[in-house]
């Protein structure tokens, strides 16, 4: 064996000389480079290109084979019936495919669909071999229509999942081209294969190609970058799309155009198919002709797409270019009225094929660019599934009726009239399309230029270009920025024209111009980096740092090491690396400011190399929730998931959710979340559940947990109804409210866990029944529950519907609750028992002292020793009971109140003592626990009372929130005043982290304003 060969295994591991590249490999590299495929994208590009080639090759073989078998063995005269049936078949499969994506996600669903599609032609071959009944060929024809649509969608789903938006703009044309090549080859091979192995056996070749496509998609799963989320059910998507279409004039026209073009398509396909069937006696000859014809038409489509389509778009715009489609129908039907034979039929069919696929498809996709985000996909799904398939069914009916009662000339005349109507409709779309683009630009909707078309070319729309160019000199900076960004996205733009905006007066425009130049002309942008680094706006300077980072030019970032902006300075230091990076890290850690630490964590998290510079674990205990969130999101934390589990009990919901999301992204973290769901606190369980549902959805483990929680929710609701409120003061009412909130939260959890694509349509009715005591409403919910297909979901939800919540008061329930596993339920139940004075206090004291929870241990003693005199120290339970009487805190859980109580200071004022002085700075607010506070103001020589506040009220918050001085004096009332004070920082933190508290405070302030007016 030669020495070079012996070294090859080591070289693969970096230990020997590199393997010499073959001529073929070099040719592929040169081709990919010419197509602007970056070296890191080579694997992605080649795999997906191969998938497109294989899948579209199978489509060509399958379509020609199904046509030949149907025409020769079943009869072309029955094709209208098949067209009529194919519409609903495609519609149903479209909905099922969307539902499958919603439930399973792209990683598991796409390859399974491709594999399932491969089984269909194989079963068709088997049926022909064993049965050879005429209906088999009808089924094969309809199913092939479905497979063509489905596998085409699957291929583009895979491409969209694997490519970012910027990659898509460069790589989508490559994939489409590979698909065209595969289609040409598949079509060309149809005739030779049919002659060699028999027409029916070509179905096995089609199945083999689909198996290869499925295997390729499965191998590409690690390349998919999309999150495995649970989107809405297909039915909801279609309804949402319909709502947008109903409200948008342009989309209404688009839906009608989809209906008309789908209808016209088959009005041409059927006469062509009839002519072919009557011109060939041999099945193999027919398959060969169809293959050659499809191959030639596909090749012509590719050439037109490559050489003509974008010229039309750039000259006339996508709407006027789309006119080529109805014009072809006008010409075709006019020709057929004069002369109809195989040559005329084939010519018109070829023109239709090229016009629809080379121009119409890309232009039609561009119509949706006026929509942004989720709406675009919803509307496209609706129009594809409904108007397009209704057009298919309408064409089947027309052909069925027309073939039975009218001669060909009448049918062609009808087609001519429909084509004229479609032409008029497309002409009307132009003004609506222009208006929609102008509105998008003026609203700053840059997203309308984000997603490239799925085809050989990305459309360069003349109308959009002209609208954007007209806004380059707009007085509003936002409009100029959108115009600059949009021009770079739709076509690459004119570098010279965009370049001048790098000196615009507005930093927003300069930043947009810099980003656009990076896309349009990466070579020329290098000349502007130094100027961008010296730009007065830090956002522009930061963009320059990002460019240097992407281009590997760290040395040029040294000029920004002394930048006045913290983020720019930190980004530059981490990019330059070495001592500069270490110094930046140490400075940020030593300084310890919130913004500095957040910036350091976010910037260091940008790359794996930088992430090792910072240890985020200690910062998970920082006093700032923003710092803790950034630390939770830092990739270095993933190496020790246990610290993230601890963060699930953080006081801040944002930190808890960030930690849960980070855990859900790893296999080990996923298992830890399941453990938290079983044994964690309320707040930790809530975050864990939301993260688990977002990743995995409803499964057996979650079903078991949800079942237990549903039974617990029903028990808590009945317990709340059974608590006697006589003689229990506010403690009993607080316990009832807490049990009701606990039950409601468990219901929310159970509904969240059990809402799947299948159960979602019925879940609104079930939820209304669960939350209602009305027998009729609950009966409707039970009926809805029975209609849910998944029995495991029904079993989980049933206890919630069986419990009517109508229990009568029963003092014995307090003893039951005193043994509950929840420490707050135990503590409040014991407290209620003491307040009712129906039990032995010594027995209760002994019982409480033996409890494992400090909350319960303090519940009885603190009450037993309490007198009318002032308490020197309020225990946790007393503080929480005091806080829950304050309206702004009334809707918070005791766990939240306990956290707030830790930040409170106890104060006591004797009768008439001054609490707040008019004109002094307001740096704290007061919560009144006992007694009262009188707000008054001097007016001349006398003092007048503004208001008197009692137990549960709060005072002093206006000066605290407004930052101004006190506007009045506050004195203790006749009985003195005991209270709790809360500082400004603590109050702002509470309002920021707990929206319910903010809403409560707003309600209190609103009432006071009404009282004072």
């Amino acid at each position: 064996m030669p020495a070079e060969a012996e070294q090859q295994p080591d070289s693969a591991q970096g230990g020997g000389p590199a393997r010499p590249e073959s001529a073929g490999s070099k040719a592929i590299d040169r081709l990919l480079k010419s197509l602007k495929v970056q070296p890191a994208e080579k694997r992605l590009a080649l795999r997906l290109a191969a998938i497109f080639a294989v899948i579209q090759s199978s489509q060509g073989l399958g379509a020609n084979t199904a046509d030949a078998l149907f025409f020769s063995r079943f009869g072309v005269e029955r094709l209208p019936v098949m067209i009529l049936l194919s519409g609903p078949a495609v519609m149903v499969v479209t909905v099922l495919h969307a539902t499958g994506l919603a439930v399973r996600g792209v990683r598991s669903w796409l390859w399974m669909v491709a594999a399932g599609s491969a089984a269909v032609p194989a079963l068709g071959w088997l049926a022909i071999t064993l049965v050879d009944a005429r209906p088999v060929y009808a089924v094969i024809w309809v199913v092939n229509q479905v497979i063509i649509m489905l596998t085409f969608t699957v291929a583009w789903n895979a491409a969209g999942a694997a490519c970012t938006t910027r990659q898509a703009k460069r790589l989508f044309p490559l994939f489409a081209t590979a698909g065209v090549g595969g289609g040409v080859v598949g079509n060309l091979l149809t005739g030779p294969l049919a002659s060699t192995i028999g027409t029916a056996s070509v179905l096995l070749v089609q199945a083999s190609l689909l198996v290869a496509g499925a295997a390729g998609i499965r191998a590409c799963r690690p390349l998919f970058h999309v999150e495995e989320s649970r989107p809405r059910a297909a039915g909801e998507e279609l309804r949402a799309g319909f709502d947008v279409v109903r409200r948008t004039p342009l989309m209404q026209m688009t839906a009608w155009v989809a209906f008309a073009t789908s209808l016209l398509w088959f009005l041409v396909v059927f006469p062509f198919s009839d002519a072919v069937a009557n011109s060939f006696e041999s099945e193999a000859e027919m398959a060969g002709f169809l293959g050659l014809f499809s191959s030639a038409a596909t090749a012509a489509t590719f050439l037109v797409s490559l050489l003509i389509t974008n010229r039309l778009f750039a000259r006339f715009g996508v709407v006027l270019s789309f006119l080529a489609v109805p014009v072809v129908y006008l010409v075709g039907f006019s020709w057929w009225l004069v002369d109809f034979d195989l040559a005329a039929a084939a010519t018109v069919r070829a023109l239709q094929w090229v016009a629809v696929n080379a121009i119409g498809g890309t232009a039609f996709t561009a119509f949706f660019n006026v929509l942004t985000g989720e709406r675009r996909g919803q509307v496209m799904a609706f129009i594809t599934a409904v108007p397009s398939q209704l057009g298919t069914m309408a064409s089947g009916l027309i052909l069925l009726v027309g073939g039975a009662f009218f001669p060909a000339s009448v049918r062609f005349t009808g087609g001519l009239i429909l084509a004229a109507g479609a032409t008029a409709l497309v002409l009307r779309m132009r003004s609506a399309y222009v208006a929609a683009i102008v509105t998008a630009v003026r609203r700053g909707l840059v997203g309308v230029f984000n997603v490239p078309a799925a085809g050989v070319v990305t459309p360069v729309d003349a109308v959009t270009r002209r609208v954007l160019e007209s806004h380059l000199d707009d007085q509003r900076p936002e409009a100029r920025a959108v115009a600059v960004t949009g021009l770079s996205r739709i076509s690459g733009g004119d570098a010279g024209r965009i370049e001048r905006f790098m000196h615009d007066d507005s930093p927003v425009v300069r930043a947009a111009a810099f980003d656009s130049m990076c896309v349009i002309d990466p070579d020329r942008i290098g000349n502007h980096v130094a100027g961008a680094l010296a730009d007065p706006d830090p956002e522009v300077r930061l963009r320059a740092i990002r460019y240097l980072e992407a281009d590997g030019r760290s040395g040029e970032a040294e000029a920004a090491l002394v930048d006045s902006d913290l983020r720019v300075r930190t980004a530059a230091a981490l990019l330059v690396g070495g001592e500069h990076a270490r110094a930046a890290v140490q400075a940020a850690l030593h300084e310890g400011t919130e913004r500095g630490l957040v910036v350091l964590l976010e910037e260091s998290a940008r790359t794996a190399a930088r992430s090792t510079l910072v240890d985020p674990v200690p910062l998970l205990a920082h006093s700032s929730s923003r710092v803790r969130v950034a630390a939770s999101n830092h990739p270095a934390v993933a190496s020790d998931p246990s610290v993230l589990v601890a963060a699930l009990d953080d006081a801040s919901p944002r930190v808890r959710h960030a930690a849960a999301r980070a855990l859900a992204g790893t296999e080990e973290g996923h298992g830890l979340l399941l453990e938290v769901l079983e044994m964690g606190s309320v707040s930790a369980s809530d975050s864990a559940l939301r993260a688990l549902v977002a990743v995995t959805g409803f499964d057996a483990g979650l079903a078991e947990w949800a079942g237990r929680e549903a039974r617990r929710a029903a028990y808590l609701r009945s317990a709340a109804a059974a608590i006697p409120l006589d003689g229990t003061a506010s403690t009993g009412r607080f316990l009832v409210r807490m049990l009701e909130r606990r039950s409601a939260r468990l219901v929310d959890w159970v509904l969240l866990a059990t809402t799947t694509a299948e159960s979602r349509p019925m879940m609104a009715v079930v939820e209304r029944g669960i939350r209602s005591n009305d027998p009729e409403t609950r009966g409707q919910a039970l009926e809805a529950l029975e209609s849910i297909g998944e029995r495991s979901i029904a079993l989980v939800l049933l206890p919630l519907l069986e419990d009517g919540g109508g229990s009568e008061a029963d003092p014995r329930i307090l003893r039951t609750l005193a043994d509950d596993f929840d420490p707050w339920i135990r503590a409040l139940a014991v407290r209620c028992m003491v307040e009712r004075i129906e039990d032995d206090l010594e027995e209760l004291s002994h019982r409480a002292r033996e409890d494992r929870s400090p909350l319960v241990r303090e519940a009885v003693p603190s009450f037993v020793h309490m007198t009318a005199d002032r308490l020197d120290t309020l225990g946790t339970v007393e503080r929480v009971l005091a806080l829950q009487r304050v309206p702004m805190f009334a809707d918070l859980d005791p766990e939240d109140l306990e956290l707030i109580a830790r930040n409170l200071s106890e104060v006591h004022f004797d009768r008439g003592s001054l609490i707040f002085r008019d004109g002094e700075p307001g740096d704290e607010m007061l919560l009144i626990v006992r007694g009262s506070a009188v707000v008054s103001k001097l007016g001349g020589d006398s003092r007048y009372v503004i208001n008197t506040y009692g137990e549960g009220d709060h005072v002093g918050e206006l000066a605290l929130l407004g930052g101004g001085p006190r506007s009045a004096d506050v004195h203790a009332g006749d009985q003195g005043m005991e209270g709790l004070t809360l500082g400004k920082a603590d109050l702002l933190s509470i309002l920021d982290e707990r929206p319910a508290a903010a809403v409560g405070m707003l309600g209190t302030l609103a009432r006071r304003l009404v009282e004072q007016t």
Side-chain angles (χ1 to χ4, degrees):
M1 180 179 292
E4 292 81 4
E6 291 177 355
Q7 291 289 342
Q8 282 179 5
D10 291 334
S11 65
Q13 302 173 2
R19 184 195 300 265
E21 287 189 300
S22 66
S25 177
K26 290 180 179 178
I28 291 175
D29 288 341
R30 285 195 297 270
L31 175 62
L32 293 177
K33 185 176 181 180
S34 68
L35 294 172
K36 298 182 180 180
V37 177
Q38 298 175 3
E41 299 169 340
K42 178 180 176 181
R43 179 185 174 201
L44 167 71
L46 291 178
R47 282 191 177 186
L48 284 170
I51 289 170
F52 272 80
V54 168
I55 284 180
Q56 290 192 229
S57 178
S58 74
Q59 291 173 356
L61 279 168
N64 297 325
T65 303
D67 283 349
L69 290 171
F70 183 84
F71 296 164
S72 63
R73 303 189 188 186
F74 195 76
V76 72
E77 68 278 1
R78 293 182 174 85
L79 185 58
V81 178
M82 297 300 101
I83 293 172
L84 181 62
L85 294 175
S86 68
V90 170
M91 187 185 300
V92 169
V93 171
T94 299
V95 173
L96 291 176
H97 176 61
T99 302
L101 279 176
V103 176
R104 300 298 299 267
V106 294
R107 287 189 173 89
S108 59
W109 180 251
L110 294 182
W111 77 269
M112 291 170 60
V113 171
S117 299
V120 175
L123 290 174
W125 172 84
L126 186 62
I128 292 172
T129 303
L130 298 178
V131 181
D132 196 21
R134 294 181 69 197
V136 170
Y137 304 104
V139 173
I140 290 173
W141 191 91
V142 171
V143 169
N144 251 290
Q145 301 301 307
V146 174
I147 287 177
I148 289 172
M149 178 282 302
L150 191 59
T151 53
F152 181 84
T153 303
V154 164
W156 284 111
N157 285 154
C163 297
T164 64
T165 300
R166 288 195 173 185
Q167 285 177 321
K169 188 170 184 177
R170 290 181 289 101
L171 299 182
F172 275 18
L174 169 64
F175 304 152
T177 302
V180 170
V184 170
V185 172
N187 285 313
L188 283 174
L189 289 175
T190 303
L193 285 172
S195 300
T196 305
I197 63 176
T199 308
S201 297
V202 178
L203 293 174
L204 292 178
V205 180
Q206 179 192 12
S208 301
L209 290 171
L210 288 174
V211 168
I217 293 173
R218 194 173 192 277
C220 279
R221 289 187 302 170
L223 303 177
F224 292 169
H225 62 82
V226 296
E227 294 182 3
E228 294 290 356
S229 59
R230 293 173 62 203
R232 294 190 295 182
E236 289 187 54
E237 292 290 294
L238 295 181
R239 283 194 294 271
F242 171 72
D243 289 339
V244 175
V245 171
R246 185 169 48 83
R247 297 192 307 265
T248 313
L250 177 61
M251 291 300 104
Q252 292 175 14
M253 296 181 189
T254 304
W256 279 110
V257 166
F259 173 84
T261 52
S262 182
L263 189 156
L264 288 166
W265 174 269
F266 284 104
L267 293 184
V268 168
V269 168
F270 174 69
F272 166 74
S273 301
D274 190 41
V276 171
N278 293 325
S279 300
F280 297 92
E281 295 182 1
S282 166
E283 186 177 87
E285 288 179 355
M286 189 187 304
F289 172 81
L290 289 172
L292 286 172
F293 173 83
S294 300
S295 179
T298 303
T301 298
F302 174 71
L303 292 175
V304 171
S305 297
L306 203 60
L307 303 176
I308 298 175
T309 299
N310 250 348
R311 287 183 170 86
L312 290 175
F313 292 159
R315 176 67 179 85
F316 301 107
V318 293
V319 179
L320 290 181
S321 298
F322 189 81
L323 270 176
V325 175
V327 166
V328 162
Y329 288 116
L330 283 171
V331 171
F333 287 121
S334 299
W335 184 357
W336 286 355
L337 281 169
V338 177
D339 178 37
F340 183 80
D341 56 16
L342 180 60
T347 303
V348 173
R349 175 75 173 103
L351 289 173
Q352 176 204 37
W353 187 308
V354 173
V356 170
N357 292 299
I359 301 172
T362 306
F364 189 78
T365 303
F367 294 163
F368 301 98
N369 282 353
V370 299
L371 304 173
T372 58
E374 189 181 20
R375 280 208 208 163
R376 185 180 301 180
Q378 291 168 346
V379 174
M380 290 181 73
F382 169 75
I383 290 180
T384 301
V386 182
S388 294
Q389 303 315 318
L390 289 176
T392 298
M393 288 185 276
S395 66
L397 284 173
I398 291 172
L399 291 170
L400 207 59
V401 175
F405 299 104
F406 301 103
S409 59
V410 175
R411 298 198 301 270
F412 296 159
T413 301
L416 184 65
I417 294 171
L418 289 170
T423 303
L425 183 60
V426 173
L427 286 172
R428 283 188 57 201
M429 287 182 66
R430 188 170 184 273
S431 58
Y433 182 73
V434 172
I437 292 293
V438 170
T439 300
V441 174
R442 290 181 177 174
R443 286 166 135 191
L445 302 178
V446 183
V448 302
F449 313 110
N450 277 352
V451 181
V456 177
V457 295
T458 300
V460 181
D461 180 23
V463 172
T464 304
R465 178 190 284 276
R466 284 195 291 270
V467 170
L468 291 171
E469 289 176 345
S470 69
H471 284 80
L472 285 174
D473 297 317
D474 197 288
Q475 292 183 346
R476 294 163 300 168
E478 295 79 9
R480 297 199 302 276
V482 171
V484 167
T485 302
L487 284 172
S488 70
R489 293 184 181 181
I490 65 168
S491 63
D494 181 353
R497 192 165 191 177
I498 300 298
E499 195 169 15
R500 68 184 177 92
F501 288 95
M502 296 187 67
H503 306 288
D504 193 273
D505 294 337
S506 168
V508 174
V509 180
R510 295 198 301 273
F514 188 92
D515 286 343
S516 298
M517 285 295 294
C518 289
V519 174
I520 297 170
D521 196 340
D523 295 329
R524 190 185 297 190
I525 190 63
N527 301 328
H528 295 278
V529 172
L533 286 172
D535 192 278
D537 186 71
E539 193 58 40
V540 178
R541 301 198 298 273
L542 185 62
R543 278 168 162 74
I545 296 294
R546 299 281 187 255
Y547 168 79
L548 293 174
E549 176 187 344
D551 206 38
R553 293 159 58 180
S554 58
E556 296 179 38
E558 292 186 4
L561 292 172
V562 293
D563 194 278
S564 58
D565 182 79
L566 174 62
R567 188 173 290 275
V568 175
R569 191 166 63 246
T570 303
L574 295 179
L575 175 58
V576 172
E579 289 299 324
H580 295 291
R582 285 189 286 273
V585 171
Q586 292 303 317
L589 295 175
H590 177 73
E591 189 176 298
T593 63
E594 177 189 84
R595 182 167 181 263
L597 292 174
V598 170
V599 166
L600 177 64
L601 288 165
E602 291 177 348
E603 290 299 320
S604 64
R606 287 180 56 82
T607 65
R610 292 183 188 180
S611 65
T612 59
L613 295 170
V614 180
D615 181 8
V617 174
L619 296 176
L620 287 169
H622 195 271
S623 59
S624 165
S625 62
R626 289 187 61 213
V627 174
R628 299 198 301 276
V629 168
S632 299
N633 289 326
H634 200 279
V637 175
S639 60
D640 187 6
S642 61
V643 299
L644 285 173
V645 172
L648 294 177
D649 281 309
D650 193 274
S652 167
R654 296 172 185 168
V655 178
R656 298 197 295 267
H657 296 333
R661 287 194 300 271
L663 283 167
T666 65
E667 185 174 347
E668 182 182 358
H670 187 272
L672 291 172
L673 285 178
L674 289 173
E675 293 179 9
V676 168
L677 203 58
E678 293 290 345
M679 300 179 292
S681 65
V682 169
S683 55
S685 297
D686 182 76
S687 298
L689 173 64
R690 295 181 187 281
L692 286 170
V693 167
V695 173
T696 63
F698 188 70
D699 56 20
L702 210 52
E704 184 180 350
W705 171 85
R708 290 196 300 271
E709 299 306 304
R711 292 189 292 273
R712 170 87 172 156
Y715 162 70
L716 292 179
R717 185 165 59 179
S718 62
I723 291 176
L725 296 180
D726 54 311
T728 59
S730 64
T731 306
R733 289 189 292 274
F734 180 42
L735 176 57
V736 170
R737 287 203 309 272
M738 187 187 75
L739 292 175
E740 291 173 342
R741 283 198 300 270
R742 289 260 201 273
S743 176
R745 179 173 47 235
L746 292 177
V747 168
D748 289 339
W749 283 0
V750 171
L751 291 172
L752 176 64
T754 56
T755 300
T756 65
E758 289 76 16
S759 65
R760 187 176 285 111
M762 295 293 106
M763 203 55 81
V765 178
V766 174
E767 183 176 357
R768 282 197 300 272
I770 289 172
R771 301 189 190 281
S772 172
N773 288 325
D774 177 61
E776 184 176 348
T777 304
R778 299 179 75 80
Q780 293 172 353
L782 280 168
E783 292 178 5
L785 191 61
E786 291 174 358
S787 68
I788 295 176
E790 294 190 38
R791 179 171 173 79
S792 57
I793 292 177
L795 291 174
V796 166
L797 296 175
L798 194 59
L800 296 174
L801 289 168
E802 290 176 339
D803 172 45
S807 304
E808 296 182 356
D810 184 357
R812 291 173 296 179
I813 191 64
L814 292 174
R815 281 196 169 273
T816 304
L817 293 175
D819 292 321
D820 197 89
F821 67 81
D822 186 320
W824 270 108
I825 292 178
R826 294 202 308 277
L828 293 176
V830 169
R831 185 70 175 245
C832 285
M833 292 164 66
V834 173
E835 288 180 355
R836 290 179 59 83
I837 319 180
E838 292 182 358
D839 295 275
D840 186 344
L841 294 182
E842 289 301 324
E843 178 188 342
L844 286 173
S845 297
H846 175 74
R847 174 182 186 147
R849 284 192 294 270
E850 296 296 320
D851 197 279
R852 61 184 179 277
S853 170
L855 295 173
V856 183
R857 289 198 297 272
E858 74 166 36
V860 173
S862 62
F863 182 83
V864 171
H865 298 105
M866 188 167 67
T867 66
D869 298 331
R870 174 175 63 88
L871 290 176
D872 291 328
T873 303
L874 290 175
T876 302
V877 175
E878 282 92 348
R879 290 189 177 210
V880 167
L881 288 171
L883 286 173
Q884 61 88 23
R885 292 194 293 269
V886 179
M888 67 178 289
F889 296 138
D891 291 330
L892 297 184
D893 286 322
E895 290 84 1
D896 282 333
L897 296 176
E898 182 181 359
L899 292 172
I900 294 171
R902 295 174 185 173
N903 298 322
L904 300 176
S905 299
E906 299 174 29
V907 292
H908 169 76
F909 294 94
D910 294 325
R911 175 182 178 179
S913 298
L914 181 66
I915 300 173
F916 296 141
R917 186 185 301 278
D918 185 5
E920 288 184 344
D923 55 0
E924 62 184 14
M925 66 178 286
L926 175 69
L927 308 176
I928 302 173
V929 177
R930 296 196 190 100
S932 61
V934 180
V935 181
S936 63
K937 197 172 180 69
L938 279 173
D941 296 332
S942 62
R943 178 177 294 277
Y944 61 95
V945 175
I946 298 174
N947 211 335
T948 300
Y949 296 110
E951 182 178 314
D953 286 330
H954 53 86
V955 292
E957 72 286 338
L958 289 176
L960 189 66
L961 294 174
R966 305 287 185 190
S967 59
D969 292 327
V970 180
H971 293 81
D974 292 341
Q975 304 299 322
M977 196 278 299
E978 292 182 26
L980 300 167
T981 60
L982 186 65
K984 182 174 183 178
D986 293 326
L987 175 63
L988 293 179
S989 175
I990 292 169
L991 298 180
D992 181 52
E993 300 287 359
R994 295 167 179 82
V999 171
M1001 171 167 275
L1002 287 175
T1004 301
L1005 295 178
R1007 286 193 297 273
R1008 291 184 181 179
L1009 288 174
V1010 171
E1011 292 170 358
Q1012 295 175 12
T1013 57

